[in-house]
Amino acid sequence: PPAPPVPPTPDERMEQLKVDGTELCGDEAWFADLKLRENLRAAVREAHQEQKILIATAAEEVSRICEGTRPPSALTVMRLGGAQLGGYGEADIAYSYRQLSRVLHPDKNPDLPKADKAFHRLSEAADELRQGL
């Protein structure tokens, strides 16, 4: 069998990445280190697996759920939208409900008058999504 190809040097690899009329992203020296960038991408992917939803402050979440002319959909309330609607299960609903209920609970937010309404809508949204499974 033929010998495996020799991996390119960092300079050769940088040359392979060049596209006429464009610049490579990043101008820091570390950005040229491909191994370091691969490790960074892997770390980001791992962090995203652990953190399924991003939650704002209690006031922002209450505003997001209670403000507007129409109430948001159950998927929007639970932050389970995304590229594949319906691509969620009981574990996703439970996780989302747990995380959001910690932030929205009226006992934790006595200064927010609409916290109880937002918490109630969160419970309704979770029930609505569970029925659709």
Side-chain angles (χ1 to χ4, degrees), residues 53 78 92-102 119 122-123 126 130:
I53 62 172
M78 299 291 288
D92 298 311
I93 295 169
Y95 175 84
S96 180
Y97 180 80
R98 224 176 13 260
Q99 298 302 313
L100 286 164
S101 66
R102 287 179 185 156
F119 189 76
L122 175 66
S123 298
R130 284 186 184 108

